[in-house]
Amino acid sequence: MLAFVIRRLVQSVVVMLVVSLIAFVMFRFVGDPVDQMVGLETTLEERAKLREQLGLNDPLPVQFWNFVSKAAQGDLGISYQFKRPVAVLLSERLPATLELSFVSALFALLAGIPMGVYTALRRESFLSKLFLTVSLIGISLPTFLIGILLIFIFSVNLQWLPSFGRGQVVDLGWWTTGFLTVSGLKALILPSITLGLFQMTLIMRLVRSEMLEVLRTDYIKFARARGLKDRAIHFGHALKNTLIPVITITGLQLGSIIAFAIITETVFQWPGMGLLFLQAVQNVDIPIMSAYLLLIAFLFVAINLIVDLLYVVVDPRIRIGGAEA
């Protein structure tokens, strides 16, 4: 088990170094940072002094080492647009993105797994066909269109829910949350459904297909022959054996929710990291773009590491196989 964890940690470090190299190349070669930080009236001497302060005159390997070491310490540079540390800007936007992603993932799991189980066990029922139709719509329609439709129905016509913003939030010092206010909870509903609908349909279809396959296996037939109740067979044996692919997809999709929340945050003007990244792209703010790339890569690596460890917990065969290898 320890060797397995160490092996995964080494792989994670290698991945982060590769992503850091990509971010470094983008930071150094997509335009001159000095041109983005100074005005036209800046003299050549001032430009040269700034280049020296930024370490742009050092050899590239030295610049890369400085970039990685500073990023590891939380120093992600200064934003060209806001003239503030990028780490501070991201920390201010991180709670909004994580809360939206958490609620979206929770919605996808709590709705997707029961719908997948129901459509597998009651294939010919009307409700099962309705769920499959909804899942087809969720996969087919683009995210921004779903968001606009929800805004049109629930904000414009019915006027039940807000169409933009995060609502009223509570400042807890190092964290701001909308969970503790009514307007904050209302503001979460539409964007979380928009962001989580595709993941919900994916989980539902995955659970359904895995459940149908498991129900055809010999050990399920043997369980029926032993006289076990359908409830014990379906939830004690069949559903448990569909967990590994569900864990895989859920883990990867959680990273995708965080990474690709840009569209949802733009549609609903949600003040998260995705909206900040889009503004950075529009203003060629390379430090924010590089830091966002590093942060998303770190989240993906961390989530994949957790998923790998959950494999060992859920399926002992993986632990046995790893020990034999």
Side-chain angles (χ1 to χ4, degrees):
M1 181 67 177
L2 181 61
F4 175 81
V5 173
I6 293 175
R7 192 162 56 246
R8 288 294 184 268
L9 287 175
V10 172
Q11 294 173 354
S12 301
V13 171
V14 172
V15 170
M16 288 304 302
L17 287 175
V18 173
V19 175
S20 299
L21 179 60
I22 296 173
F24 169 77
V25 170
M26 182 173 66
F27 185 79
R28 287 293 181 268
F29 297 106
V30 182
D32 189 350
V34 175
D35 292 337
Q36 301 289 337
M37 300 177 69
V38 300
L40 297 175
E41 69 281 357
T42 307
T43 63
L44 294 177
E45 291 77 10
E46 292 173 338
R47 286 174 175 267
K49 184 179 179 180
L50 183 58
R51 292 185 67 87
E52 186 67 29
Q53 291 176 349
L54 294 176
L56 298 178
N57 296 328
D58 297 334
L60 288 180
V62 175
Q63 292 186 41
F64 178 64
W65 170 253
N66 292 334
F67 176 78
V68 172
S69 59
K70 288 181 179 179
Q73 298 172 16
D75 184 0
L76 302 172
I78 304 296
S79 168
Y80 299 157
Q81 178 185 1
F82 299 100
K83 309 300 181 185
R84 297 175 60 196
V86 175
V88 175
L89 292 172
L90 290 178
S91 65
E92 292 175 351
R93 303 292 188 103
L94 183 62
T97 296
L98 289 184
E99 285 191 358
L100 175 61
S101 302
F102 172 76
V103 175
S104 300
L106 194 64
F107 161 71
L109 281 173
L110 295 181
I113 293 178
M115 289 169 65
V117 172
Y118 184 86
T119 53
L121 299 179
R122 303 285 187 270
R123 284 173 285 176
E124 301 301 324
S125 67
F126 171 77
L127 193 57
S128 177
K129 295 178 181 179
L130 179 62
F131 286 161
L132 291 174
T133 303
V134 172
S135 71
L136 185 61
I137 295 174
I139 290 178
S140 303
L141 293 181
T143 301
F144 73 90
L145 182 57
I146 293 175
I148 293 173
L149 288 175
L150 291 177
I151 290 174
F152 178 75
I153 295 172
F154 294 101
S155 298
V156 178
N157 288 341
L158 300 177
Q159 297 183 354
W160 289 352
L161 299 170
S163 60
F164 67 93
R166 197 182 174 194
Q168 184 181 0
V169 297
V170 176
D171 190 354
L172 301 178
W174 57 278
W175 191 271
T176 57
T177 179
F179 289 155
L180 302 179
T181 63
V182 176
S183 62
L185 291 174
K186 286 184 176 180
L188 265 169
I189 295 176
L190 292 185
S192 61
I193 292 176
T194 302
L195 186 57
L197 187 60
F198 178 81
Q199 281 71 28
M200 183 206 73
T201 58
L202 191 64
I203 291 173
M204 189 203 83
R205 287 180 172 269
L206 176 65
V207 171
R208 180 178 184 272
S209 62
E210 290 293 327
M211 194 83 171
L212 289 174
E213 186 173 346
V214 169
L215 289 174
R216 299 189 188 101
T217 57
D218 292 336
Y219 75 89
I220 294 295
K221 297 177 181 177
F222 179 72
R224 294 186 189 280
R226 289 175 55 197
L228 293 179
K229 296 181 179 180
D230 287 343
R231 188 183 188 87
I233 294 173
H234 294 157
F235 298 100
H237 296 278
L239 182 59
K240 184 178 179 181
N241 284 277
T242 66
L243 283 179
I244 288 184
V246 172
I247 289 174
T248 305
I249 295 299
T250 302
L252 295 177
Q253 288 304 309
L254 180 58
S256 300
I257 286 175
I258 299 173
F260 301 114
I262 299 174
I263 298 175
T264 303
E265 291 186 1
T266 303
V267 172
F268 291 93
Q269 288 299 292
W270 188 264
M273 294 190 303
L275 186 60
L276 179 66
F277 175 77
L278 187 62
Q279 293 171 348
V281 172
Q282 293 171 345
N283 294 280
V284 199
D285 199 337
I286 304 299
I288 292 180
M289 296 164 61
S290 301
Y292 184 80
L293 177 62
L294 286 175
L295 181 59
I296 294 303
F298 175 77
L299 291 174
F300 264 104
V301 167
I303 290 171
N304 284 336
L305 179 61
I306 293 173
V307 168
D308 288 338
L309 297 178
L310 286 177
Y311 279 170
V312 180
V313 175
V314 172
D315 193 345
R317 293 173 298 178
I318 297 176
R319 181 168 60 250
I320 295 172
E324 292 176 352

